[in-house]
Amino acid sequence: MNLKQRKLITIVVEAALEPRLVRDITKLGAKGYTVTDATGAGPRNQRNGDLEGGNIRLEIVVHSDLVDPILELLNVNYFPHYACSCWISSVEVVRDERY
Amino acid sequence: MSLWEVALQNLTSPPVLAFALGLIAVAVKSDLRLPEAVYQGLSIYLLLGLGIKGGVALSNTTLTEIWLPILITLLLGIITPILAYYGLGLMTKLDSVNKGAVAAHYGSTSLVTFTAALIFLESQKVFVEGYLATLLTILEIPGIIIGLILASRGLNRAVDWKESMFEVLAGRSILLLAGGVVLGFVTGDTGYARIEPFFGALFTGVLTLFLLEMGIVAGRRLPDIKQAGVGIVAFGTIFPLIAGSIGVVAGHIAGLSFGGSAVLGVLAASASYIAAPAAVRLALPEASPGIYLTASLGITFPFNLIVGIPVLVSLSVYLEGIGL
């Protein structure tokens, strides 16, 4: 099977921000996403200020061109103020026109 | 009835005892929690049930009876957050963004505190105007908006009003409360009679279960109080008594019964911890949830439940006695 390289961006963020994040990444050109509920702890291991409702894990598979704009978005609008983490991995997909 | 007797009656009511059990569960590090879906389900039940009962009462009320209470409630909704903002300036060293964020919470209301007061007065056979739930809906919104406006003066960027307003107006709290009021108003007494066994008879029981979870949620916030500082603790306990007293007096001026005035006082004293935090988190990420949530949920909510309600009921009884 002919596999194509793509990037998987995984973002964990406060659940309250889901609609805003989805809107922002869609605007940047992401064609789809997956959201699941998430719990866990970060390096500071304290989320005292948390709103009830916990976190979500949002996954998007995108062309490598989109990685930088999305990271820039997180850098400016999310990392400074919200509990948010993000990592990138390389993945292979079939039907590459979908991503 | 003396203040002490009122306080004792309130403390031994099932919802307040369940709240204490929740606090104990946290203290002994129990893993007890209501499943998230159950918690959400119960809160929908409480919001819709209150709205419907308020709406049914509204359908039996004339405009001449209710216009003054509505006007006075609106005024309360405007005055309370402004008072909170300047009160915070006196008692704490918070910057204006955090002051505005806290003011938004205290300007809005806590449904659960309101319901606990209502159930308590009902159990004491004290009359409370049924349309108070309508006043709750009215008081929910302006406080958040004014708090955000006050906070935005301290920002050097524009606030995304559209997103925050959407969060407030289309959020579950307002939708269910306001929707319930309309539903109750349209269906009236005959329609309500058919759902009364579910929304009436079971109500106190559901509130008791809900307060068990709220005890756990509030208990988990208690350690944060140490970090919040003395000023916030002072504000979280003194301000509800001031705002609450203003509310009780306003209720008497509006011509409410002494029960209704007490509940309006509790509304003014209470701080939101569902609708306001969501809106504030989106609009004011610079403000610390560790401050506003600790104040409203960790300090003021338990304080009102245990001290605020009996004090404000007693004040209302006293004002009734001197003929205000």
Side-chain angles (χ1 to χ4, degrees):
Chain A
M1 184 110 43
N2 186 15
L3 294 174
K4 291 276 165 51
Q5 294 290 325
R6 285 292 182 273
K7 295 291 181 189
L8 164 66
I9 307 181
T10 309
I11 304 169
V12 177
V13 73
E14 300 170 37
L17 291 164
E18 181 186 330
R20 185 191 288 182
L21 184 59
V22 165
R23 203 177 53 220
D24 287 350
I25 58 160
T26 312
K27 217 184 279 173
L28 286 176
K31 292 182 195 163
Y33 60 89
T34 305
V35 174
T36 39
D37 290 336
T39 52
R44 280 177 292 171
N45 202 19
Q46 53 166 29
R47 304 261 329 242
N48 290 344
D50 262 12
L51 271 64
E52 296 295 314
N55 301 323
I56 54 148
R57 180 167 82 168
L58 185 140
E59 291 168 304
I60 354 161
V61 176
V62 292
H63 196 274
S64 54
D65 295 349
L66 260 187
V67 171
D68 273 351
I70 289 178
L71 287 181
E72 179 62 18
L73 165 84
L74 295 178
N75 235 345
V76 174
N77 291 338
Y78 292 84
F79 290 148
H81 301 305
Y82 298 108
C84 179
S85 48
C86 171
W87 54 92
I88 320 276
S89 24
S90 297
V91 290
E92 294 177 351
V93 298
V94 283
R95 300 186 296 164
D96 59 309
E97 71 284 357
R98 289 170 53 89
Y99 303 100
Chain B
M1 213 163 34
S2 74
L3 173 60
W4 176 242
E5 281 167 330
V6 177
L8 197 68
Q9 292 284 353
N10 179 53
L11 271 180
T12 53
S13 74
V16 175
L17 288 174
F19 180 78
L21 183 60
L23 291 177
I24 291 169
V26 176
V28 301
K29 300 197 175 6
S30 156
D31 63 349
L32 174 69
R33 289 233 55 174
L34 240 53
E36 175 67 15
V38 174
Y39 172 79
Q40 299 293 356
L42 293 186
S43 84
I44 290 172
Y45 170 90
L46 292 174
L47 284 160
L48 189 65
L50 267 181
I52 291 177
K53 275 182 264 187
V56 172
L58 201 62
S59 70
N60 296 322
T61 314
T62 59
L63 193 63
T64 42
E65 231 178 296
I66 201 174
W67 73 268
L68 188 59
I70 286 182
L71 187 70
I72 291 210
T73 304
L74 270 175
L75 281 176
L76 265 181
I78 295 166
I79 294 167
T80 318
I82 296 175
L83 267 182
Y85 185 84
Y86 289 102
L88 283 162
L90 292 175
M91 287 187 237
T92 67
K93 292 194 176 74
L94 296 179
D95 59 19
S96 56
V97 175
N98 276 303
K99 279 193 290 181
V102 176
H105 288 70
Y106 284 78
S108 188
T109 60
S110 151
L111 167 98
V112 181
T113 315
F114 167 82
T115 313
L118 214 57
I119 297 283
F120 171 62
L121 287 172
E122 243 172 50
S123 74
Q124 301 299 306
K125 309 267 182 291
V126 173
F127 169 78
V128 176
E129 287 82 352
Y131 58 72
L132 256 294
T134 311
L135 302 185
L136 163 80
T137 316
I138 294 171
L139 203 50
E140 189 101 339
I141 304 168
I144 299 179
I145 297 173
I146 290 169
L148 291 182
I149 292 174
L150 289 168
S152 67
R153 299 187 311 167
L155 292 173
N156 42 16
R157 60 168 180 87
V159 172
D160 184 355
W161 287 104
K162 210 176 123 200
E163 190 184 30
S164 304
M165 284 305 100
F166 182 80
E167 184 67 34
V168 175
L169 296 175
R172 198 178 37 186
S173 308
I174 294 297
L175 194 78
L176 284 168
L177 269 177
V181 167
V182 173
L183 216 147
F185 187 80
V186 172
T187 200
D189 284 320
T190 38
Y192 182 67
R194 294 210 299 270
I195 52 171
E196 200 284 329
F198 185 65
F199 280 109
L202 291 178
F203 201 78
T204 312
V206 173
L207 180 72
T208 305
L209 200 51
F210 195 76
L211 271 172
L212 174 67
E213 171 72 7
M214 288 313 302
I216 298 168
V217 173
R220 285 152 57 107
R221 296 245 158 230
L222 289 180
D224 301 349
I225 292 177
K226 273 183 244 147
Q227 289 165 26
V230 184
I232 285 289
V233 177
F235 176 82
T237 49
I238 296 169
F239 185 76
L241 293 178
I242 297 171
S245 304
I246 296 173
V248 173
V249 173
H252 281 273
I253 294 171
L256 294 179
S257 67
F258 85 88
S261 304
V263 174
L264 189 62
V266 169
L267 273 179
S270 70
S272 164
Y273 48 79
I274 296 174
V280 167
R281 189 72 185 126
L282 290 172
L284 303 171
E286 297 88 348
S288 161
I291 295 171
Y292 54 72
L293 267 181
T294 304
S296 68
L297 192 52
I299 302 168
T300 300
F301 176 60
F303 177 80
N304 275 336
L305 213 51
I306 293 160
V307 181
I309 292 175
V311 167
L312 295 172
V313 169
S314 301
L315 174 68
S316 194
V317 172
Y318 172 76
L319 290 178
E320 179 88 350
I322 60 170
L324 185 80

